[in-house]
Amino acid sequence: MENTNTQNRRSFLKSSMLAGGGLMLSFSWLANAQAADKMAAMNLPDQWNELNGYIKITPDNVIKIICPNPEFGQNVMTSLPMMVAEELDVDWKNVVVEMGPHDNVKLGMQFTGGSNSVRMYWKPLRNAGASARQMLIEAAAQTWGVPASEITTQTGVLLHSSGKSAKYGEMASKAATIPVPKEVKLKTPKDFSIVSHSKKNTEGVKVVTGKPLFGIDYKVDGMLIAMIQHPPAFGMKLKSFDASQALKMPGIKDIFSFKLYYDGFEQGGFDTRTSNEMIAIVGKSTWEVMNARKKIKAQWEPTGDIKETMMGRGGKREVTIPGRLETTSDQLALMAEYGKKPAQQLRKDGDPETAFINAALVIERTYNAPFLAHNTMEPMNFFAHVSEDKALVAGPLQAPGWMEPTLSKILNLPADKIEIQMTRMGGGFGRRAYGQYVYEAARISQRLKAPVKLIYTREDDMTYGIYRPMYTATYRAALDANKNLIAFHVKGGGIPENPIHANRFPAGAVDNYLAEAWEIPSNITIGAFRAPRSNFNAAAEQSFLDEVAEAMGKDPIAFRLDLLKRAKENPVGKNNEYDADRYAGVLELLREKSGWDKPENKGKKRGVAAYFCHASYAGHVVDIVMRDGQPYVEKVTSAIDCGIVVNPDAAKNMVQGAVVDGIGNAFYGALTHKNGAAEQSNFHNYRIIRHNEAPKEIDVHFVQNDIDPTGLGEPPFPPVFGAVANALYKSTGKRFYNQPFSSEMSKS
C-alpha cells in the first residue's frame, strides 16, 4: 500500500532535532508548513510538554505520542496512538501517550463526535508513523553505509543482514536531518501487530485511582468558583434581581448579570445557548456559591418572539424563536395536528399514492419519543482565565475548534491569543459539542479579571440544558393480495427538527416509496444526542418492520434480508446511503451468533433490530424475561460491521455501553415541560437504568473484513430501541409505540 506525503493541509510532516539527541516528528495533518517551521526554531527540550502534534523519540527509546482528539470514554487516547505505533513499528510498552492542547493549525478540527475520530485519522496517523520509520531507516543506512532497502525494523530496533542493529533512539538525531519521504509504504491488515490487537486503556489506571484528569479536577492558585442563575423556564428572560442578601453570604466575591452575546451577534452552528442574559454568582467555594444563589431574588418575564442571525448549517440566515411557554401535552397535540397536514417531500420512488389506494392491506402506525437529557456523569464545568491581552480556557469539550471563533468574538481577542486546553470528559454524547458553558466561564473571568471555574449543578443542566428533540413519525406499508410489500411511506416531524433520513433502508428496496417531513419551531434548545435522529428512526422503523413481517407471515430477519437482496440486485433509486451487502452481513452474523433459528431458542421472548448510521452497521437480538410482572433484558447479542477494529476490547466495551444506554433510554428516558419549565430536575425524577436492570450478558461480535474503519461510537445505540420494542411485544403480547416504554406499560 503506497501513500504519498504531500506538503499540504492534509498531510504535513515536519522533523526537528532535540538537543541531547532524539527525533521529534509533527504529524500535523491539516496543517501548513509555516507553523511547523516556526516550531522547529523553539527550544524543544524545555518546551515539548507544552506542544502537541508530535512523535517524540528519546535516546533511550521511549516514544511519546500526543493524542490530538478529546477523550470522553470512547478510548481515542489509546486507539489513535495505536495507529501511529503500528506503522512506526515500535514496542507498545515503550509508548507514552498524552492529551494535547487545542491547536487548529497543527491538528485541524480535533473533533470527537459523529463517530469520526478513528475514521478521520486512519490514514494521516498511519502515514505519520510510517514516515518516521522510513526516516529512521534512512538514518541507519547513511550511518552504516548500506542501502536503505536492506534495513528492516522490529519493535523499535533497526536491523541489517550484516548483524548491525540499533535502537530507534540511537538514530533519532540523525533521522531528524533526513527529508520527509514523499511516499511511504503502509502495512496491510494481515501484517498488523498492534492495530486489531487489544490494548489496555492508556489512562485506565489513572481513571480508577482517581487521578486528576477531568475538567472538574482542574485547579489553579487563586481560582474562584462561579455558578449561573438561568431563567426558570424556556421562554423567560431576566427582568430584575436583588442580590443584596446573597452578597452578604460568606465567601461571595461578586454577583452580576451579563449578556452572553452582544446585540446583533451572528451565532455559529454550535453556538446554541439557552438564554442570553443571566446572573453570575462568584465566590471562593462551590458550597458558598450554591448557598448564596438561593438568596437571590430575581424577577423574570416572557421573552416574546426573538429574531436571531445564525451562521453555519446552511449559511447565514435569520430565524425567529417563538416565545411561548411550552407544555408537553400541548406539544403532543400540536405534533399530532402537524402530522395530518401536507409536509415537505424528501424522496419519492414510483407511484406510492396509487399503490396505497390499490392495496389489499394497509398497515399504519405512529411512534412518539420525548425530549431526552444528556446527563453526562461529570456535570458541566469549565475553567477560564481572561486578561486584557490573552485568555486561557480549559475543560471538557468535544470540539475546541468550533469554540475558538466565538471566544475570539465575544472576548475581542485574536484567536492566537486564546489557549484552549482539553481535559478528559466524564461523558459527552453530543452535549459538550455546544460551547455556551465555555463562553459563560470566559465572560465571567473577563469581568472579574481572575481565574474562574464555572460549575453547573445536575439540576442546572437538566432543567436548562440542550436536549435530544421530541419526535414523532407515522409509518405506512401497503400489501397486495398475496401479502407482498408494494409501498412504503414514512412521514415524520419533531420539535424543533424532523428525524427523517429519507435515503436509508428500506428506501431502495421498495418499488413505491415516499418520505416526508415537517418541523415545529421551539425555544427549547436541542442538540446532537448520541446518533442524532437515528436513535429515534431506528426505534420506529425497526418496530414497524417487525409488524409488517408478521402481517406478511415472514420471519423478521428473513424479511429484512429479502428487502436487502432486492436493494442489492435491483435497487430502486440512485441515492441509497447504505451498502446492502454490509447490512445483510450484520443480520447474517446476528442470526448465527444468537442462534436465532435453533429449536432450543424458539421459546425465548426475543426481538431483533438492525440499522445503518455513521457509515457503520449494527444489529442486536434482545432476550427479555418477566420477573414479578416486569420485563428485564436478560441477554443481548450484538453484531457490528465498522470495518477494521483498531482495539477490539475497547470496541466491545463501546458496544456494551451503547446497549446499556439504549435499554435505559428506551424503558425510562423522558424529559417533560410545563409552562416552559422542565418537570424533571435530577435522577430522583429523571429515571435512568439501574444496575439490576442491566443485561446479565452482552455478547458482541464484529464482522471481519479489511474495510477502512468506519464509525462505532454511535451506530450500536439506535437499534437497541427497536430490538427492545420487538422483544417487549413477544413478552407481553402488546405493541408499544410511545417512549419511554415503562410509562406506556404502566397505562396499559
Side-chain angles (χ1 to χ4, degrees):
M1 181 176 179
E2 297 293 330
N3 203 45
T4 300
N5 275 339
T6 56
Q7 303 292 328
N8 57 30
R9 290 183 62 83
R10 270 311 282 180
S11 57
F12 181 78
L13 292 173
K14 185 67 183 178
S15 66
S16 56
M17 191 183 303
L18 289 170
L23 167 67
M24 185 171 282
L25 279 173
S26 166
F27 47 89
S28 48
W29 65 97
L30 307 178
N32 58 48
Q34 290 80 4
D37 287 337
K38 176 182 175 183
M39 289 185 298
M42 293 181 178
N43 186 358
L44 293 172
D46 295 331
Q47 299 185 39
W48 71 272
N49 266 333
E50 300 174 5
L51 300 176
N52 68 309
Y54 288 86
I55 301 169
K56 177 184 176 183
I57 303 175
T58 65
D60 56 356
N61 234 35
V62 174
I63 292 88
K64 194 166 199 175
I65 302 173
I66 296 179
C67 180
N69 262 27
E71 170 71 74
F72 59 70
Q74 78 284 39
N75 214 12
V76 294
M77 284 282 288
T78 305
S79 58
L80 296 186
M82 283 175 69
M83 298 187 302
V84 180
E86 178 66 71
E87 298 293 346
L88 187 56
D89 194 12
V90 295
D91 191 334
W92 180 250
K93 72 175 185 291
N94 291 332
V95 172
V96 178
V97 178
E98 274 191 5
M99 173 79 75
H102 171 61
D103 192 315
N104 61 5
V105 175
K106 298 197 304 293
L107 298 178
M109 287 181 63
Q110 295 180 264
F111 168 56
T112 298
S115 301
N116 266 319
S117 292
V118 169
R119 177 171 42 164
M120 182 166 56
Y121 294 132
W122 174 244
K123 288 185 178 177
L125 284 179
R126 291 172 66 211
N127 187 71
S131 296
R133 175 179 171 272
Q134 184 61 37
M135 294 162 70
L136 288 159
I137 287 174
E138 292 288 348
Q142 292 180 19
T143 301
W144 296 336
V146 299
S149 60
E150 295 180 1
I151 297 175
T152 59
T153 62
Q154 183 176 356
T155 58
V157 178
L158 297 146
L159 303 167
H160 186 255
S161 56
S162 64
K164 290 178 175 155
S165 67
K167 293 180 179 180
Y168 282 1
E170 298 174 56
M171 295 292 174
S173 295
K174 177 72 173 176
T177 67
I178 303 294
V180 176
K182 293 182 178 180
E183 291 186 352
V184 289
K185 186 175 183 180
L186 301 180
K187 292 183 179 181
T188 58
K190 67 181 179 62
D191 295 323
F192 289 160
S193 60
I194 295 177
V195 168
S196 298
H197 296 73
S198 293
K199 301 298 178 186
K200 296 298 182 184
N201 189 320
T202 57
E203 291 195 309
V205 173
K206 295 177 183 177
V207 171
V208 300
T209 56
K211 301 297 182 185
L213 297 171
F214 300 89
I216 204 75
D217 300 321
Y218 197 96
K219 295 179 182 178
V220 301
D221 291 341
M223 183 180 76
L224 298 173
I225 298 296
M227 285 187 169
I228 297 290
Q229 183 65 56
H230 294 106
F234 291 94
M236 300 291 286
K237 65 180 180 179
L238 182 64
K239 181 179 181 181
S240 63
F241 72 99
D242 178 2
S244 57
Q245 293 302 311
L247 285 165
K248 296 176 184 178
M249 298 286 286
I252 300 305
K253 296 294 185 182
D254 200 358
I255 299 175
F256 56 93
S257 65
F258 70 99
K259 288 185 177 181
L260 189 61
Y261 304 141
Y262 52 77
D263 293 343
F265 183 84
E266 294 183 352
Q267 297 178 47
F270 284 77
D271 285 346
T272 302
R273 52 95 175 89
T274 51
S275 60
N276 197 46
E277 187 173 8
M278 58 211 80
I279 304 169
I281 306 95
V282 186
K284 291 182 178 180
S285 71
T286 304
W287 181 248
E288 290 170 326
V289 171
M290 288 176 68
N291 284 324
R293 186 167 65 165
K294 296 174 185 177
K295 297 291 185 179
I296 296 173
K297 297 177 181 179
Q299 291 187 320
W300 310 90
E301 61 183 356
T303 61
D305 292 353
I306 298 172
K307 291 187 177 181
E308 294 191 332
T309 302
M310 304 293 295
M311 300 293 292
R313 298 184 185 182
K316 183 177 178 179
R317 65 196 187 282
E318 299 293 326
V319 298
T320 299
I321 299 174
R324 62 181 179 272
L325 302 180
E326 301 184 32
T327 296
T328 297
S329 58
D330 296 336
Q331 291 168 330
L332 288 168
L334 192 59
M335 289 201 301
E337 179 185 330
Y338 266 68
K340 297 174 183 177
K341 296 178 179 180
Q344 179 188 4
Q345 180 178 298
L346 303 180
R347 173 168 172 159
K348 182 177 179 180
D349 296 325
D351 186 359
E353 293 87 355
T354 300
F356 275 101
I357 291 172
N358 295 332
L361 175 65
V362 173
I363 306 166
E364 179 175 326
R365 302 290 185 266
T366 297
Y367 302 83
N368 295 298
F371 288 108
L372 293 177
H374 288 83
N375 291 327
T376 57
M377 187 58 66
E378 177 192 17
M380 306 305 291
N381 68 90
F382 220 79
F383 170 85
H385 190 184
V386 181
S387 61
E388 290 186 4
D389 59 351
K390 63 181 179 179
L392 166 66
V393 297
L397 75 171
Q398 292 178 229
W402 296 347
M403 312 306 160
E404 187 181 70
T406 299
L407 278 171
S408 179
K409 286 194 290 184
I410 67 172
L411 297 177
N412 196 26
L413 286 173
D416 62 1
K417 297 298 182 182
I418 299 174
E419 180 182 352
I420 302 176
Q421 293 185 359
M422 295 174 290
T423 63
R424 189 179 182 92
M425 291 176 270
F429 312 112
R431 174 62 182 91
R432 289 187 158 104
Y434 301 86
Q436 93 285 351
Y437 64 110
V438 182
Y439 312 147
E440 289 170 352
R443 280 285 205 196
I444 295 168
S445 174
Q446 187 179 44
R447 160 81 176 245
L448 269 71
K449 297 181 173 60
V452 170
K453 185 197 292 183
L454 173 69
I455 297 176
Y456 279 29
T457 63
R458 179 73 60 196
E459 290 84 355
D460 289 337
D461 196 43
M462 194 177 293
T463 62
Y464 224 67
I466 292 173
Y467 312 120
R468 195 282 298 272
M470 198 173 182
Y471 290 130
T472 187
T474 296
Y475 284 78
R476 294 196 302 152
L479 306 185
D480 65 14
N482 296 318
K483 296 186 177 181
N484 296 310
L485 178 63
I486 58 172
F488 193 93
H489 176 207
V490 56
K491 183 179 181 181
I495 301 174
E497 71 171 17
N498 81 77
I500 303 303
H501 290 280
N503 297 318
R504 292 187 183 171
F505 182 77
V510 184
D511 287 327
N512 304 292
Y513 175 88
L514 178 63
E516 300 177 290
W518 49 265
E519 297 174 344
I520 301 174
S522 173
N523 54 42
I524 296 176
T525 47
I526 59 99
F529 186 103
R530 194 173 193 170
R533 298 196 291 163
S534 297
N535 54 54
F536 171 74
N537 274 344
E541 169 203 288
Q542 292 294 305
S543 296
F544 185 68
L545 288 177
D546 257 38
E547 286 209 55
V548 175
E550 185 176 44
M552 296 172 69
K554 288 192 172 186
D555 171 82
I557 292 182
F559 171 55
R560 289 167 171 83
L561 288 172
D562 287 346
L563 288 173
L564 288 164
K565 182 179 180 182
R566 167 67 196 279
K568 176 187 176 182
E569 296 178 354
N570 188 21
V572 181
K574 298 179 180 180
N575 298 316
N576 306 321
E577 294 182 13
Y578 59 95
D579 182 311
D581 264 343
R582 292 183 71 187
Y583 208 139
V586 161
L587 284 164
E588 295 282 11
L589 182 62
L590 195 59
R591 181 163 62 179
E592 173 197 344
K593 297 300 182 181
S594 68
W596 183 263
D597 296 323
K598 290 184 177 180
E600 61 265 32
N601 290 325
K602 292 301 181 183
K604 291 183 177 179
K605 309 304 181 184
R606 49 185 11 193
V608 65
Y611 195 74
F612 157 78
C613 73
H614 294 84
S616 290
Y617 303 78
H620 308 286
V621 168
V622 166
D623 293 350
I624 282 182
V625 297
M626 301 297 291
R627 300 192 207 119
D628 300 323
Q630 296 299 314
Y632 290 85
V633 176
E634 185 82 354
K635 179 182 178 180
V636 178
T637 305
S638 305
I640 315 294
D641 182 350
C642 59
I644 294 169
V645 178
V646 174
N647 191 352
D649 277 356
K652 181 179 178 182
N653 293 160
M654 199 177 300
V655 175
Q656 291 170 332
V659 166
V660 174
D661 194 16
I663 293 170
N665 279 290
F667 271 111
Y668 311 115
L671 189 90
T672 58
H673 293 85
K674 186 174 182 179
N675 296 324
E679 295 186 289
Q680 294 75 33
S681 61
N682 209 321
F683 293 135
H684 70 289
N685 58 4
Y686 187 99
R687 182 82 153 79
I688 63 172
I689 193 169
R690 295 167 181 160
H691 285 89
N692 69 311
E693 294 161 343
K696 292 182 178 179
E697 182 182 358
I698 303 174
D699 187 22
V700 181
H701 302 273
F702 293 95
V703 174
Q704 300 300 310
N705 57 43
D706 290 342
I707 297 171
D708 285 355
T710 50
L712 185 58
E714 284 146 307
F717 183 62
V720 177
F721 293 78
V724 167
N726 292 330
L728 275 174
Y729 170 65
K730 298 293 185 180
S731 303
T732 65
K734 298 178 181 178
R735 295 278 182 187
F736 295 96
Y737 303 100
N738 301 291
Q739 295 175 32
F741 299 138
S742 62
S743 295
E744 189 173 9
M745 291 173 64
S746 66
K747 298 173 184 176
S748 61

